[in-house]
Amino acid sequence: MFKRISAAVLAAASVALLATPPAQADAPARYVAMGSSFAAGPGIPPQRPGTPAACGRSTKNYASLVAGQRGLALTDVTCSGATTANILTAGQSGQPPQIEAVTRDTRLVTITIGGNDVGYVGSLFTYGCQNTGGTNCGQVDRNAVRTALTTVHEKIGAVIAAVHRRAPRARVLVVDYLTIVPGDRPACDGVPLTPEQLAFEREVADRLAAATRRAARDERASLIPAAAASADHDACAAVPWMERYTTAQGRVPYHPNEAGMAAVADLITARLRQPRGRCGGSCPAAHRPSG
């Protein structure tokens, strides 16, 4: 009797074992990085293979560093020159709108966008060209820049809202722009700006950061305050996170260097260690991770 019962139990267990799929390790969480050149990392070697050269995606941009540190499955669709329209509706460099990379199984999205909507770095390039004897430099339309700054929060907000619709369970982090020009000192060698131009660029940077902060708050995203964290690491600082206008061969003027990207990655990983929802779109100073 004992042997018959044991055989029956073993047979049933064998059937159950065959019917149960083998245990599988959890797949890495899916992470989509979107944005413009301050997310892509042009000029920081090595560039990511298999992506358009014009996009300038680096394997050492902040998204790549975060994915490596956290074991995430990264889809990097960042691209130099991107505007909010290139995220939502308009393809770029042969790529579809960036938002198409976001799907329901996406769990993390980072966004750095808005600078090209207001001509931020473009105006710095124009002044640099004019002040170093360049030709065909163009002009900076300050009224147009200031007008664009009045509505850019709505455009950034539309990007965040689109991410929420496509990936309701995703954690959305909005990374503002690293500081380019000094906020409390004159411009230095390699940053060719007159005092008046420098004041204008500070205004643009401050208003863009405020617009990004407002969009994150209004659309329930978390702000990663790269601008504030890099205030002492501008292009003229002793330890810069930013290239100067006059820079080494292969580098991109007025764009983040390796140290800047690593610092942003540290800010993001510090935020990801916090419980989801803490601080909402904008943390008070006491809760902000240090740079």
Side-chain angles (χ1 to χ4, degrees):
M1 183 64 148
F2 178 80
K3 289 183 179 179
R4 289 198 192 101
I5 293 173
S6 297
V9 170
L10 286 171
S14 297
V15 171
L17 186 61
L18 290 171
T20 303
Q24 296 180 351
D26 291 338
R30 188 159 184 268
Y31 167 24
V32 176
M34 304 194 300
S36 62
S37 55
F38 272 53
I44 300 176
Q47 295 292 284
R48 183 174 296 280
T51 56
C55 288
R57 294 176 201 142
S58 172
T59 59
K60 293 183 179 179
N61 62 21
Y62 69 69
S64 297
L65 298 176
V66 169
Q69 293 166 9
R70 303 282 296 188
L72 305 174
L74 172 65
T75 300
D76 186 351
V77 291
T78 60
C79 194
S80 297
T83 65
T84 51
N86 294 129
I87 290 184
L88 294 177
T89 59
Q92 185 184 13
S93 299
Q95 306 289 291
Q98 295 180 25
I99 193 68
E100 293 187 14
V102 179
T103 57
R104 291 190 68 84
D105 64 345
T106 302
R107 293 296 177 263
L108 174 65
V109 178
T110 54
I111 306 164
T112 297
I113 203 67
N116 293 315
D117 291 74
V118 303
Y120 178 26
V121 178
S123 64
L124 282 162
F125 279 178
T126 298
Y127 287 140
C129 178
Q130 292 174 350
N131 297 339
T132 57
T135 58
N136 301 315
C137 299
Q139 298 294 323
V140 176
D141 186 340
R142 293 188 182 181
N143 288 333
V145 171
R146 288 178 170 128
T147 298
L149 282 163
T150 64
T151 59
V152 71
H153 70 281
E154 298 173 355
K155 295 180 178 181
I156 300 170
V159 169
I160 302 169
V163 171
H164 284 316
R165 286 194 298 270
R166 293 178 69 96
R169 296 175 61 191
R171 191 168 188 177
V172 184
L173 307 182
V174 183
V175 184
D176 61 13
Y177 284 72
L178 286 164
T179 300
I180 303 175
V181 299
D184 57 359
R185 307 183 311 280
C188 57
D189 289 343
V191 178
L193 295 169
T194 68
E196 181 192 27
Q197 292 165 352
L198 180 59
F200 172 73
E201 296 299 345
R202 287 170 178 159
E203 175 193 345
V204 175
D206 290 346
R207 292 183 61 183
L208 179 58
T212 306
R213 183 168 59 248
R214 178 178 176 181
R217 181 185 65 241
D218 291 351
E219 297 296 338
R220 298 174 294 107
S222 293
L223 177 73
I224 303 299
S230 59
D232 295 329
H233 298 280
D234 56 79
C236 291
V239 182
W241 294 352
M242 185 66 49
E243 299 287 347
R244 299 181 179 188
Y245 181 73
T246 304
T247 192
Q249 182 75 22
R251 295 291 173 154
V252 179
Y254 293 142
H255 277 72
N257 59 23
E258 287 90 338
M261 285 295 183
V264 174
D266 287 345
L267 291 170
I268 293 171
T269 54
R271 181 63 56 85
L272 292 175
R273 286 194 292 266
Q274 297 175 358
R276 184 168 179 170
R278 181 180 177 186
C279 308
S282 181
C283 288
H287 291 159
R288 289 178 186 160
S290 64

